[in-house]
Amino acid sequence: MQAATGLRTSHFLGRRREDMVQRHAEHEAAWNTYMEAIDARKPFRDIRFIGAITHGTRWISISGTPVFSGQDEFRGYRGLSSDVTTLVAAEKRAQESDQRLRLAMENLNEAICVTDPQERIVLANKRFRDNNPASLEYLWPGMPFEQFVR
């Protein structure tokens, strides 16, 4: 644990879950999902929080499986936590890049409709929508392009 966090194991003893994460309103749903699983003694997987255990902002992903004795007595959780800070940063950059691309395409003077490999509509820009006003109810992400054309 010291290699991952820079802190000795003794630093974590006696600390509550609430002490280990930074609570933010935007992550409240993840916290609630986590606490519901803990309260119900259910497994949870890949729940992300901003860790409060190291210096600086570090994103932590946690997973856990409840452990029971042979008499179905709850003994605790066996789990794993991973530093996913680099992954979260890459996802954020990808989202920002996607948003810039969508904005640029939306404002082109050419009509553009982008489909995925299964030929389902992913994006149709304003010019494309303006050129097809009678078909707007069929123009939504996930719609097979062939069905839109019909």
Side-chain angles (χ1 to χ4, degrees), residues 74-145:
F74 177 69
R75 305 295 297 215
Y77 272 89
R78 179 173 295 131
L80 170 72
S81 64
S82 302
D83 183 338
V84 293
T85 304
T86 303
L87 176 63
V88 169
E91 289 172 348
K92 183 178 180 186
R93 286 190 307 273
Q95 288 172 347
E96 290 168 350
S97 179
D98 181 67
Q99 189 62 26
R100 282 191 304 273
L101 178 61
R102 287 177 182 272
L103 183 62
M105 289 181 66
E106 183 66 18
N107 292 301
L108 288 174
N109 287 327
E110 299 295 324
I112 296 177
C113 184
V114 178
T115 60
D116 65 13
Q118 290 75 40
E119 296 188 12
R120 294 177 302 222
I121 296 172
V122 174
L123 172 87
N125 71 353
K126 181 175 181 344
R127 179 62 62 137
F128 188 90
R129 293 190 308 271
D130 289 347
N131 290 349
N132 297 282
S135 304
L136 288 179
E137 66 183 284
Y138 303 105
L139 187 59
W140 43 268
M143 166 67 75
F145 187 74

Side-chain angles (χ1 to χ4, degrees), residues 66-80:
V67 176
F68 296 92
S69 70
Q71 292 78 33
D72 286 335
E73 178 184 328
F74 177 69
R75 305 295 297 215
Y77 272 89
R78 179 173 295 131
L80 170 72

